[in-house]
Amino acid sequence: MKVLLLFTGGTISMVRDAKSGALHPADMATFQSFVPELFVGDVEVDMLPFDPLLDSSDINPENWSKMAHMVYDNYDKYDGFVILHGTDTMSYSASALSFMLHNLSKPVVFTGSQLPVGVLRSDAKENLLTAIEIAATKDEDGNAMVPEVTIFMDDALYRGNRTTKRNAEHFSAFNSYNYPALARAGVRITYQKQFIQHPNTTAQLRLRDKTDCNVAVLKLFPGITEPVVKAILTTPGLRGVVLETYGAGNAPSCDWLYQHLRDAVERGIIVVNKTQCNTGSVAMGQYAVSLPLLKAGVISGYDITTEALLTKMMYLFGENPSNNELVRELLQTPLCGELTKD
Ligand code: ASP
């Protein structure tokens, strides 16, 4: 079994600067010296690092494309892929790759750690070694057990585009609020096969890595002012907006808010309603206060995460530079398990 380890950086790879006391990414050789186990197990592991290694706050759409290319270019040579990545923006990267790697039939497992690999109580080794095992695991028919882009951290394997970083301190940094875990790792790794997606095995992997960053998040809050809403919705070049609403997709009853949204939609901007709640789905029309949003042309994001919705918009706008109708339709369609419509 062969696994390719793509190494982008993150806390897992970091060392403390003696002067400032701040953590910064170290080099590959230092990292490798902390995990000699990597190279003696049943699974053959090759490493492909970013140069330089990055804190995930510096990861951008160009880096998503680079990661997707690294998987695509090496696809036939490996049984699975593990991507070492900082936890801060891991949910965005995992979501983006789930859209970019079309017809994926091999595991791409993101992992990282909350403590650097060289620290005594670090969660790095366990996360890394379990992620490698998952990436190499086959089912009884010899196919990849989890042919999806996932995140493994602490004891849980989640579909990447369903995750959110929920904790800046605990080892269990991620949660998937609207979709069950795909596996749990204890003494054994227990796979929840009924929740794992399987691709059409005859289809070839396709790389679709264009993105368009002309998107924005407009988060509603009690007391939000008209100039703030107007400034966001009239941003030059804007193509898509994630409208973060209350509860089941509700907004304050302000005529100026509806008017700005309607104007934006008429100018061709796609506005998607995403609830600020972690769990549950948007249901526009359930309350009177969400009906005007529907009338303004705002569409539902259902139970998608903000991370998945933003990256899906960037990806769809990048791949469809002038077909807004198609983008509108696809934003309301599950492409790789990122949303549930009922
Ligand atoms: N700042 C770090 C990063 O995202 C945090 C981590 O890896 O957990 O790169």
Side-chain angles (χ1 to χ4, degrees):
M1 227 58 79
K2 283 185 83 177
V3 167
L4 182 61
L5 189 57
L6 306 181
F7 197 174
T8 71
T11 296
I12 195 161
S13 65
M14 292 189 186
V15 288
R16 203 169 287 285
D17 182 79
K19 263 198 196 144
S20 68
L23 290 169
H24 65 92
D27 54 80
M28 276 269 291
T30 310
F31 176 80
Q32 280 172 284
S33 68
F34 285 116
V35 271
E37 301 91 329
L38 263 188
F39 308 97
V40 296
D42 294 343
V43 181
E44 205 180 312
V45 179
D46 291 334
M47 286 175 99
L48 202 50
F50 268 29
D51 185 19
L53 296 176
L54 299 172
D55 187 294
S56 77
S57 301
D58 288 325
I59 295 272
N60 56 28
E62 240 175 75
N63 299 126
W64 300 338
S65 167
K66 191 168 158 184
M67 284 178 236
H69 267 275
M70 284 168 148
V71 171
Y72 184 80
D73 294 344
N74 291 286
Y75 198 63
D76 294 335
K77 291 185 249 159
Y78 294 91
D79 298 283
F81 301 83
V82 170
I83 305 187
L84 285 183
H85 192 291
T87 59
D88 288 350
T89 65
M90 193 186 284
S91 292
Y92 291 92
S93 294
S95 298
L97 260 71
S98 74
F99 301 119
M100 290 177 167
L101 296 168
H102 203 70
N103 299 328
L104 184 71
S105 61
K106 295 184 180 182
V108 175
V109 188
F110 278 78
T111 195
S113 69
Q114 293 282 56
L115 282 172
V117 67
V119 171
L120 206 55
R121 287 180 53 250
S122 177
D123 50 334
K125 274 192 195 183
E126 274 172 47
N127 287 344
L128 174 54
L129 297 175
T130 309
I132 288 173
E133 183 172 336
I134 292 167
T137 300
K138 308 272 185 191
D139 65 17
E140 48 285 348
D141 300 322
N143 298 316
M145 181 64 97
V146 191
E148 297 201 31
V149 178
T150 54
I151 288 185
F152 177 76
M153 197 81 184
D154 193 31
D155 70 341
L157 182 75
Y158 296 120
R159 177 171 299 154
N161 59 33
R162 289 288 191 157
T163 61
T164 294
K165 183 171 179 183
R166 66 159 167 199
N167 203 310
E169 292 180 0
H170 288 180
F171 290 151
S172 128
F174 293 91
N175 202 7
S176 165
Y177 291 96
N178 282 328
Y179 198 78
L182 305 182
R184 291 274 171 194
V187 173
R188 281 177 295 125
I189 301 176
T190 313
Y191 292 94
Q192 303 291 329
K193 290 188 183 171
Q194 69 277 30
F195 300 127
I196 298 171
Q197 285 205 133
H198 291 275
N200 170 355
T201 41
T202 56
Q204 288 267 318
L205 179 73
R206 291 227 298 271
L207 180 64
R208 292 177 173 165
D209 67 332
K210 293 190 192 72
T211 49
D212 180 340
C213 297
N214 284 302
V215 297
V217 179
L218 170 51
K219 182 169 185 160
L220 299 179
F221 56 89
I224 192 168
T225 61
E226 185 173 359
V228 168
V229 170
K230 190 175 169 196
I232 293 177
L233 293 177
T234 56
T235 303
L238 190 68
R239 296 187 68 193
V241 175
V242 175
L243 179 67
E244 287 204 351
T245 55
Y246 309 132
N250 303 320
S253 314
C254 306
D255 284 343
W256 58 259
L257 175 65
Y258 303 139
Q259 190 57 51
H260 283 302
L261 288 168
R262 201 166 22 247
D263 290 350
V265 171
E266 271 164 20
R267 290 197 306 275
I269 294 170
I270 300 180
V271 183
V272 185
N273 189 339
K274 154 78 186 89
T275 172
Q276 291 175 21
C277 298
N278 284 327
T279 307
S281 187
V282 163
M284 277 192 288
Q286 183 177 336
Y287 290 88
V289 282
S290 64
L291 273 174
L293 295 180
L294 264 181
K295 285 198 195 120
V298 173
I299 58 174
S300 177
Y302 301 96
D303 64 348
I304 199 167
T305 62
T306 296
E307 293 88 335
L309 181 50
L310 268 176
T311 52
K312 185 174 177 180
M313 274 185 173
M314 290 185 192
Y315 155 80
L316 288 175
F317 286 133
E319 290 291 326
N320 304 282
S322 53
N323 192 346
N324 262 17
E325 245 345 280
L326 180 65
V327 172
R328 230 177 118 81
E329 188 189 317
L330 294 178
L331 279 169
Q332 297 169 92
T333 310
L335 301 183
C336 43
E338 74 282 7
L339 63 87
T340 308
K341 279 182 95 164
D342 22 80

